[in-house]
Amino acid sequence: MKKARTTIDVTNLLTRAGEEIAARVGPSPNVPSARTQSLGPRVRHAKPVTSVCPYCAVGCSTLAYVSDDGTLLDVEGNPDSPINAGHLCPKGSAIFGLTVNQMRWTTVKYRAPYGTTWEDRPLEWALERIAHLVKETRDKTFVQEKDGKRVNHTLGIASLGGATFSIEENYLLGKLMHSLGVVSIENQARI
Amino acid sequence: MSTGFFTDTTLCIGCKACEVACKQWNELPSDGFAFTGMSYDNTVHLSGTTWRHVAFVENVQMDPQGLSDHWSMMSDVCKHCTHAGCLEACPTGAIIRNEFDNVYIQPDVCNGCGYCVPSCPFGVVDMIGQVASNAAYNVATLNQERRERDETAVQGRGGVAGKCTLCYDRQRDGFIPACAKACPTESIQFGDVDELKARAHERAQTLKERGLDASLYGVGWDSSVGDLNAFFLLTDRPERYNLPPEPVLPSTRQPAGYGAAAAAALVMFACGLAIFGRSPS
Amino acid sequence: MPGLGTSFGRGGSTTFLQDLQNADCILIEGSNFAEAHPVGFRFVVKAKERGATIIHVDPRFTRTSALADHYVPIRSGTDIAFLGGIINWVLTNNRYFREYVVAYTNASSIVVDTFKGTEDLDGLFSGFHGGDTGLTAMSHYGGAAQGRDSIGGYDTETWQFEHDDGGAVKRDDTLQHPRCVFQILRRHFSRYTPEMVERVCGTPQNLFLLVCETLAKNSGRDRTTAFAYAVGWTQHTVGVQYIRTAAILQMLLGNVGRPGGGVMALRGHANIQGATDIATLYDLLPGYLPMPSIERNEQTLADYLKINTKRTGWWSNLPKYVISQLKAFYGDAATKENDYCFDYLPQLTGDHSTIPTTFAMKDGVVKGYFVIGQNPVTSGQNTGLIAASMDRLQWFVNIDSYENESSSFWKREGADPTKIGTECFFLPAATVLEKDGTMTNTNRLLQFHDKAVEPAGESKSDLWYLYELGKRLKKLYAGSTQPKDRPILDMTWDYEHENERERKRGEPSASRVMQEINGYVVATGEQLKDFTECRDDGSTACGGWIYSGVYPDKNTNRARSRKGDAWTALEWGFAWPSNRRMLYNRASADPDGKPWSERKKYVWWDEQAGEWTGVDVPDFAKTKAPNTPATAGASGMDAHSGADPFIMQLDGRAQMFVAGPLKDGPLPAHYEPLASVIHNQLYSQQHNPSLKEFRRRDNPYNGSVNAEYPYVLTTYRITELSGIFTRYIPWLAELQPEAFCEIDPELAVQKGIRNGEYVTLTTAVGEIEARALVSGRMKPLRIADGKRVHQIGLPYLYGNFGFTKGDTSGDLISLSMDPNVSIHEAKTFTCDIRAGRRDRRTGPLLQDSPVPADEQIPDGQPQTHGIDQLKTERT
Amino acid sequence: MSEPVLPALPDEAYAGAGNGKVPQLNYFNRPLLRKLHWDERVITYLFLGGAMGGSGVLAALAQRSGNEPLTRTSRYLSLALAVACPAVLVSHLGRPERFHHMLRIAKLKSPMSMGAWALVGFGALAALNAGGQLSRDGVLPAWIRRLEAPFGVRLQGMLGAFTTGYTGVLLSATAVPLWARGKYHIPAASVCSAIASACALNSLALTRDRNGGEAQIKLERLEACASVLELGLLLHFRSHAGATGKPMFEGARGERLRTWTIGAGILAPLALNAISLLTRNHKKRPFVLRALLGGALTLAGGYIFRETLIEAGKASCEDPEQAFYQSK
């Protein structure tokens, strides 16, 4: 019995070896590596999140594949969209590089008057400083009347918003600025 | 089944989405930033890290009516030949024919001998330079860790051969290749090669009826590389797109080579025997 | 969008991208469709595959031309002459769609006898007094006001219709009356002959006639033609009138509101449409409600409503929308007694759009500046001036994801930071993948994008910053008793996020903002189903009425719905208004409510069901039968019959002749661009008399027909790039690595320019360098008197930051404005060119020089161009 | 209105922008094939590998003729080169640490794969035979001698012959126009050049051996045969290759080939050895100086031949026209 098993093993071993050699010797042997055998898309277990392309106004729907640990793996077109049916232009195909990019600035920066460089500052400090500047400027430049007519505005503050600015952001910006009395509220939409 | 690309140049708008989608999915670095003045083409050629390349062929007269003007664009890619020169040349077996009948370079096997490069009659395969030594801006969007962990096509510092994988990894899960998926006008079509060929013949026919001089490149032709799994519909001479009109499979020259070498060796042996002779003992 | 607004009623694309595939012919003009909107272009390709004829009219042979059936060269800045020529051809050859024209347009309306047109006044319309331009804010986005006051140097008294006693417009359906719009149109365009088109546009006659024939052949009962345009038509000193001309042509051909027809407006950026709908434009409140202005004397709510509410048509509902909006802004503080806090809204005192603001900044009026996701120092014009103006700010806040030319304006070439006193902040912004939000695409489609990943590093969403700033300001002003501070304290500001984790991060809820925009019943807090539920008694709150319906109840955000199909896809996203994909689609049926033809059926009257039905949501009262007569003297919608498809308009019809409020005439007339190479061949009036200029030493002009600047220059975007973001992405940067300009071989030889080498372009404002791309795709044109015109193409996308570098075209363009929307003229101007690189900028530019007080204009206000004296010039 | 007549423009006006007026054979006249990245390390290998194979052949001949001195040097040289060659090869790999992947498979269709295995086999036998020689020379214990068999030496000779030729096949079985054109000539010439180099090298090694004279003279004769055949092949290749041969036979590179490979590497040694070649005197030992000079020149010529082959191949890749229409 024991004996038999070993003999089986031996023959088995030999046939295996034989097969191996047969597979590896020939006019053009085709031997996939372990990596190749287990190859698969990196988004295999990722969660697709529907988003919209931030470039032109065609409004291509995109899928952002996110891994369990929350890292972005890939961004591509959403095949269900009646607009782009999964297709994207070069800019859209590069959205990944827009979010994941070593050149991106992800800290609050401050340049003091007459300064020659940017320096990092705490978010809290910057926001407090900005809020104060807004109040100060508004209070200094607020006009209640002009040639006997109520105007309740300030020309001392202006804002210019981009066009990847979402609707919600436009709405809040408008609401806030109008309430401050700011009238020079502009957007890429005109530019 | 064998899968492949049908690239219809008459639908190409030269947007280069294929180039970018490919680089994004395969995590390839940029090849640098040089203005060429070659129409809108600053990529110039396929490379180890550029697996789709859009060629811009200007046929414009100085005719203000512009009636005779053409500006044709074509997205070039690895042809995934039926008989692939690179595959036959590869001494390590890094280049294989996978279950989809595509020619695939296993980045973990390739040791960078470089023999596949001159063995491709289409000038597709190329060595991937020392990526790590590239200026940071070429790799600004790439994940160093994944490269180090050998999870990407350009592994670690590079030094291997690279070309289109026909998104082997995606096909494994039934995703279509990145370039074909991105292509806005469906100039790049992916699918079963036989279906694609049928579609291509039909398309060529319709275009001929519309008076266009359309021809298929890499289908049912007399070439030792056999039909191409990635074939093209062209409206101009292949040379204008930098495609060889009659590619030759390099290995077809081996018999001649070995024969000549053997003959020479025999002559040498003969001379040797004559000169040295046999030992008296 | 006043072009579309005044013509049809709404400032939005009349059709949608997917529908282009049903067109029998597509005319692409003023747009490089394939390059600027590649994915949208796939529907053009689909149409072509289905046998449609694609025509591309453009100064350059582009990637769009490459796919088109016919490429038609044109001198940039002459589209009104070109389209006017087609209108003339259509009228003289009787190729217009008569039933449509008579029933659905105001061609039959009779104009007052005091009206005089450009034929009588050699390029002017009656009522020009050359006075100051007054406000841009003339509800020009298809909005409300009856513009009868003095605007753009014109008094529009004489641009009105004759009304009968019932107040209805007098008509002549035979179109024979000498003063009916149709006959006025005939006279107005009579001189736009094919010969004239060739003289002005340089378009060979045979090509021009080919276009005319193709358009006419593909319009009518059974066929439709679509027009597609983009900023190639808007960025001109007569931009609005370009679109008006196209609109008139589409009315004549009967292509509006029908499948495969319409005017496709291609917006350049993801949320341009959204930013005009829920406006962050100085002269608009959300929903195209005009900002109150002292020039129209809108001091009280009553005045405001009186001036802006229309008697007939949909805008008769304006009070509901205004009051609901004030309730949304100021909540309980807004009561009937205090006019719903109407006086919290600031009043306009002039043109506060971005260009005047720039001059105000230069002159020290503006002290603090927020720039959010925008890069004026490269994408603006006379960018040297913009940067110089920012030098004079006290503080500057930039919210962006990458360092850019604006955030670091003080680093620019030739500037000395140690002399720039501006206090600068850079706040890192989350990208689109890192935040929730909604964007409105080019065909008014709202799509919500979910947050996919956490913002990188310290980055925050723009919404977070605004919300935070609002909260801090409320704190700072807390306890103030001054009336001027009430708005901030009373402003509703409650957008706590539903999600615990996000709330901890202080992230506001985009959904709750959208719910407020959609509107709700004040008492119950229930969402409004539709804007028809808005009330003018303060019982409803609605932030932006046109979007009402997107959030019908607290759990349904229709902008998130994701069920697609190949055509109208009504379950994919939400299109304003009320999810209508094609506007004015009532016009897809004949006056009796039957489809014009089987092939082109879209929305029609279902006799049995007694309602309008079809593949889209009818843009019409669902149960208003086609044979419903208009009630004489009635107000509101009753003034419209069941056969009046353009419900926003006073008379329910498309407006060929616009009785105000456009500032440069009720009809389009060709004027040469501000910087042009020839004299106006049509009139002795060289430029749009109403266009706005800034005659200051820091904003010099090339001048018209100036031998120093003999070449036409046009700017555009290329597929591979789109501003600062893309310049930082290696994959894109390598595709277009350096600034270049396109030159025709003939000019190249004349100037000794070699392909691929550097050239320097100069204008009165500045000089830039770029690589030369010599190509036969650029064609020298032959225009009036055999004059040869060379056009140079220059992509505008470059700057000093990122991987792909180059000078910005903005350095070449002087600031001027269209009178209606204050848009600049960047699509056509003149320049000189020479081989070789420019000198490095060391010293200050002329833009840096301070402007003496006497040259300054208060608050940066512009001047009207006025009447040209070309008669004397031309001998 | 008639169309404006345009002035004739110089071609450079259209440079870059492919204009119908300027017929462009291909795509902006850019090369079709990718640039070869093989450098001097590959050239060195081709040279040394040839000498190694040749030495193997000589070892077999020496064994058969019982020529002791030559047997010794040829075996030692074979081993030395069998160690050097793989080292050079590995150093040129993009991923040297993966050199052993060459032995993952044996691919008959890949000359490089075949070569790799030949190298391995040759190395093993060279070690075996050199070991035997060492023990005969008293360096190693006597039992080792038993491992060597006459068959082993013959096999080493055959593998050696293969290594002299396969490099030529390796080159000609590519898309490089020049190499493809020389599918007969290059392999054959490689063999000859390899034998010649081996003869020169062994002859040089024998100059210190008191009894090496006879072997040296025989080597000179064999070298002469190889050189003459190589010369013939090169001349015929030149006429046969025509335009394709430009990069190899014209310009500076052609000059270099003529001066060194043909002039110094083939003709000079033939001239130097002329006397002894013509006289039938086998015993007379050649002057040391002459032997050294002739050997050195032959080796130099051999190296330059390989170098020219590779460099000309690179240049030939640059020519799209040749790449488009390469011979079947």
Side-chain angles (χ1 to χ4, degrees), chain C residues 400-614:
Chain C
D400 212 310
S401 311
Y402 292 85
E403 178 177 28
N404 58 74
E405 291 75 10
S406 302
S407 67
S408 302
F409 67 96
W410 44 273
K411 286 185 185 173
R412 70 185 183 274
E413 184 180 343
D416 176 2
T418 61
K419 293 193 171 53
I420 298 172
T422 315
E423 185 173 1
C424 301
F425 301 82
F426 178 92
L427 303 177
T431 66
V432 68
L433 295 175
E434 296 167 336
K435 61 184 185 184
D436 289 339
T438 314
M439 297 200 280
T440 308
N441 89 339
T442 194
N443 46 253
R444 313 173 323 278
L445 181 71
L446 280 74
Q447 295 182 104
F448 188 86
H449 57 82
D450 296 282
K451 174 179 171 182
V453 288
E454 288 302 324
E458 284 182 358
S459 307
K460 300 272 182 287
S461 70
D462 300 340
L463 203 61
W464 188 95
Y465 287 117
L466 292 166
Y467 184 53
E468 190 62 28
L469 191 61
K471 285 199 292 193
R472 285 169 191 265
L473 283 163
K474 271 175 174 290
K475 239 194 250 102
L476 285 178
Y477 279 105
S480 161
T481 51
Q482 295 194 47
K484 82 173 197 347
D485 300 337
R486 291 309 317 163
I488 305 164
L489 298 168
D490 292 341
M491 168 178 76
T492 60
W493 206 250
D494 172 27
Y495 305 108
E496 288 291 301
H497 205 289
E498 308 81 357
N499 171 307
E500 180 61 34
R501 250 179 70 260
E502 295 290 355
R503 200 155 56 238
K504 280 213 176 61
R505 293 178 59 257
E507 184 71 37
S509 156
S511 314
R512 295 189 60 176
V513 178
M514 190 48 93
Q515 286 167 5
E516 179 176 319
I517 296 172
N518 174 90
Y520 54 90
V521 180
V522 174
T524 63
E526 259 166 55
Q527 293 294 104
L528 300 180
K529 302 266 163 300
D530 191 24
F531 47 75
T532 50
E533 296 184 359
C534 288
R535 294 285 167 270
D536 57 6
D537 55 8
S539 63
T540 59
C542 176
W545 72 277
I546 54 173
Y547 282 0
S548 199
V550 66
Y551 232 117
D553 65 71
K554 287 240 176 331
N555 310 321
T556 343
N557 178 356
R558 298 183 66 182
R560 285 192 77 184
S561 64
R562 289 284 180 273
K563 284 193 234 49
D565 63 55
W567 190 10
T568 49
L570 295 175
E571 288 308 305
W572 183 279
F574 174 86
W576 71 265
S578 307
N579 205 27
R580 298 162 201 174
R581 303 304 164 116
M582 186 188 296
L583 298 178
Y584 327 114
N585 53 34
R586 157 71 178 90
S588 65
D590 64 16
D592 309 335
K594 296 185 199 58
W596 288 104
S597 72
E598 196 51 33
R599 191 162 168 266
K600 294 289 172 183
K601 74 193 289 195
Y602 192 75
V603 163
W604 58 92
W605 175 255
D606 180 337
E607 204 59 65
Q608 288 73 21
E611 62 172 32
W612 292 95
T613 173

Side-chain angles (χ1 to χ4, degrees), chain B residues 59 67 101 144 149 188:
Chain B
N59 265 322
L67 289 170
D101 207 12
Q144 185 63 33
R149 287 202 306 271
I188 301 173

Side-chain angles (χ1 to χ4, degrees), chain C residues 323-354:
Chain C
I323 289 164
S324 298
Q325 186 167 79
L326 288 166
K327 283 298 285 183
F329 281 8
Y330 300 113
D332 302 340
T335 62
K336 190 168 191 347
E337 293 62 41
N338 65 6
D339 271 2
Y340 303 101
C341 302
F342 176 76
D343 60 0
Y344 280 15
L345 293 175
Q347 294 260 336
L348 303 182
T349 52
D351 185 333
H352 308 293
S353 66
T354 173

Side-chain angles (χ1 to χ4, degrees), chain C residues 104-427:
Chain C
Y104 296 158
T105 76
N106 70 352
S108 56
S109 306
I110 292 163
V111 177
V112 294
D113 56 6
T114 50
F115 171 76
K116 297 246 174 312
T118 51
E119 287 303 296
D120 319 298
L121 304 174
D122 193 12
L124 292 176
F125 294 92
S126 49
F128 191 80
H129 55 65
D132 205 354
T133 63
L135 268 191
T136 321
M138 192 37 65
S139 60
H140 47 254
Y141 290 85
Q146 332 257 20
R148 298 208 46 172
D149 53 345
S150 143
I151 53 172
Y154 271 112
D155 184 323
T156 58
E157 284 297 344
T158 62
W159 303 357
Q160 306 301 324
F161 298 114
E162 284 187 357
H163 295 81
D164 58 27
D165 315 336
V169 177
K170 283 195 194 155
R171 294 220 175 82
D172 170 20
D173 285 352
T174 67
L175 306 181
Q176 292 313 308
H177 190 290
R179 280 189 285 112
C180 80
V181 168
F182 188 80
Q183 294 302 335
I184 290 175
L185 215 57
R186 268 189 193 284
R187 283 200 300 282
H188 180 79
F189 285 108
S190 56
R191 62 171 69 187
Y192 291 64
T193 60
E195 298 71 25
M196 183 55 85
V197 169
E198 182 159 31
R199 284 178 65 79
V200 176
C201 312
T203 310
Q205 280 184 54
N206 56 340
L207 275 183
F208 170 74
L209 294 170
L210 175 72
V211 175
C212 297
E213 186 55 48
T214 317
L215 291 187
K217 207 167 68 221
N218 291 295
S219 306
R221 277 184 176 277
D222 204 40
R223 303 180 76 74
T224 50
T225 292
F227 283 21
Y229 78 90
V231 290
W233 270 1
T234 56
Q235 293 182 354
H236 294 279
T237 47
V238 265
V240 170
Q241 298 291 0
Y242 276 47
I243 294 136
R244 282 274 302 129
T245 324
I248 293 170
L249 184 51
Q250 281 295 63
M251 293 179 213
L252 285 169
L253 297 171
N255 284 325
V256 182
R258 303 180 55 202
V263 180
M264 183 75 233
L266 295 161
R267 305 285 198 246
H269 296 267
N271 197 34
I272 290 278
Q273 184 66 49
T276 34
D277 300 339
I278 301 303
T280 44
L281 294 170
Y282 85 93
D283 51 351
L284 286 178
L285 289 162
Y288 298 109
L289 306 173
M291 273 290 284
S293 131
I294 62 168
E295 305 199 0
R296 284 195 306 270
N297 218 336
E298 296 160 337
Q299 288 283 300
T300 68
L301 180 61
D303 306 336
Y304 177 88
L305 295 181
K306 191 164 142 296
I307 292 168
N308 294 300
T309 313
K310 290 186 180 181
R311 192 176 63 78
T312 61
W314 195 265
W315 280 112
S316 55
N317 296 310
L318 177 121
K320 303 172 184 168
Y321 307 144
V322 175
I323 289 164
S324 298
Q325 186 167 79
L326 288 166
K327 283 298 285 183
F329 281 8
Y330 300 113
D332 302 340
T335 62
K336 190 168 191 347
E337 293 62 41
N338 65 6
D339 271 2
Y340 303 101
C341 302
F342 176 76
D343 60 0
Y344 280 15
L345 293 175
Q347 294 260 336
L348 303 182
T349 52
D351 185 333
H352 308 293
S353 66
T354 173
I355 295 175
T357 302
T358 304
F359 285 101
M361 210 178 286
K362 178 80 186 295
D363 300 344
V365 177
V366 180
K367 311 271 186 244
Y369 197 21
F370 285 95
V371 169
I372 309 175
Q374 176 66 334
N375 190 6
V377 176
T378 51
S379 60
Q381 298 71 41
N382 194 348
T383 41
L385 175 75
I386 295 174
S389 309
M390 290 164 78
D391 291 353
R392 288 161 177 74
L393 288 167
Q394 277 172 14
W395 52 270
F396 171 61
V397 179
N398 183 220
I399 307 183
D400 212 310
S401 311
Y402 292 85
E403 178 177 28
N404 58 74
E405 291 75 10
S406 302
S407 67
S408 302
F409 67 96
W410 44 273
K411 286 185 185 173
R412 70 185 183 274
E413 184 180 343
D416 176 2
T418 61
K419 293 193 171 53
I420 298 172
T422 315
E423 185 173 1
C424 301
F425 301 82
F426 178 92
L427 303 177

Side-chain angles (χ1 to χ4, degrees), chain B residues 6 10 19 26 48 79 87-88 99 135 251:
Chain B
F6 165 38
T10 60
E19 290 190 33
N26 293 299
K79 319 297 182 290
L87 188 153
E88 291 182 338
E99 66 264 40
S251 65

